[in-house]
Amino acid sequence: MSTLDRLPNRLVRLFLGLALFGVGIALMVRARLGLDAWNVLHEGVAERTGLPFGRIVIGTAVLVLLLWIPLRQRPGIGTIANVVVVGLVVDALLGLLPAPENLPVRAALLVAGVLVTAIATGLYIGAGLGPGPRDGLMTGWAARGHSIRVGRTVIEASVLLAGVLLGGTVGIGTVVFTLSIGPLAHWFLPRLTLRPVTKASPHPWTRNSSAPTDAASSPPSSGTAAPSSPRSPTSGSRTAG
């Protein structure tokens, strides 16, 4: 076992990735140019309830995690950490970041948010400590013999529609995120992924019914699949979280 493969290093990468995921979401929220599907929903619920955005992220993750029960998915350390850390970081950063009016500044925040989210995806999934709630929902769906593309499309389209009806922000940022997060995460993921500690007997904290296929989403909700080796990502579709 190399030093990089040890659990403490994986935990550092996990929590750094989740924190950066929260940073990416906060930057895109402050850009006000459009969010990915799940964060459109989070923003819409926050607008309707008056609750902090990050608390909505946490509450949604908990509800999605309950859907793992009939799918017989088992959470890992990364799954539980995802539920808590991302939302807390989002709320903390939104309390510090101003909402700029200058369009070039807002565009810069959007680009930075997408890039940070992609790096976060590589760190978080690359740590190999369990998928996020939304990722596990998709892998659980696939484990039942259903098409993950169909399932993800239906779920994210429904989430986006609900978010729009609730007042969430859809715009050029939604398009930019949707088109760029996959290629960016595909580039970062193999470069930030730690190889398995042992190939024959994975640790119990990384064992799930199936490997994660995307980030957070996401982040958040949009990601790529966890690769079987540091340089060979398997194909998949996105989010942190």
Side-chain angles (χ1 to χ4, degrees):
M1 181 192 306
S2 71
T3 301
L4 288 178
D5 289 334
R6 292 173 183 166
L7 180 59
N9 185 60
R10 290 178 181 273
L11 288 172
V12 168
R13 286 172 176 247
L14 168 68
F15 283 98
L16 177 59
L18 293 176
L20 287 177
F21 216 98
V23 171
I25 292 174
L27 290 173
M28 289 186 287
V29 170
R30 284 293 180 251
R32 306 192 316 282
L33 291 172
L35 301 167
D36 65 279
W38 283 97
N39 284 315
V40 170
L41 175 64
H42 297 151
E43 186 178 55
V45 175
E47 288 287 334
R48 295 285 182 169
T49 64
L51 293 173
F53 190 101
R55 292 188 190 178
I56 301 300
V57 173
I58 293 172
T60 303
V62 171
L63 292 176
V64 172
L65 197 55
L66 292 177
L67 296 177
W68 282 33
I69 297 174
L71 295 175
R72 298 180 182 176
Q73 289 283 88
R74 289 181 294 171
I77 292 176
T79 309
I80 304 305
N82 182 295
V83 171
V84 178
V85 174
V86 175
L88 292 179
V89 172
V90 170
D91 275 348
L93 201 54
L94 287 179
L96 298 174
L97 282 175
E101 297 298 330
N102 186 279
L103 183 57
V105 174
R106 292 165 61 194
L109 288 179
L110 171 64
V111 172
V114 173
L115 183 60
V116 168
T117 300
I119 296 171
T121 299
L123 285 168
Y124 158 56
I125 294 182
L129 294 177
R134 298 160 188 83
D135 303 325
L137 184 62
M138 289 298 95
T139 56
W141 172 269
R144 292 290 173 273
H146 303 294
S147 168
I148 196 167
R149 290 186 180 182
V150 172
R152 189 168 202 97
T153 300
V154 170
I155 290 175
E156 295 213 2
S158 300
V159 165
L160 180 61
L161 178 60
V164 170
L165 293 176
L166 290 170
T169 304
V170 175
I172 186 63
T174 308
V175 178
V176 170
F177 186 92
T178 301
L179 295 179
S180 62
I181 191 64
L184 285 171
H186 183 83
W187 192 88
F188 281 111
L189 187 55
R191 290 163 175 80
L192 295 174
T193 295
L194 296 175
R195 65 181 179 272
V197 176
T198 61
K199 293 183 178 179
S201 178
H203 286 303
W205 56 76
T206 63
R207 189 178 300 138
N208 290 281
S209 58
S210 53
T213 59
D214 51 17
S217 207
S218 316
S221 244
S222 326
T224 51
S228 56
S229 67
R231 296 290 176 178
S232 302
T234 57
S235 60
S237 55
R238 187 229 186 270
T239 158

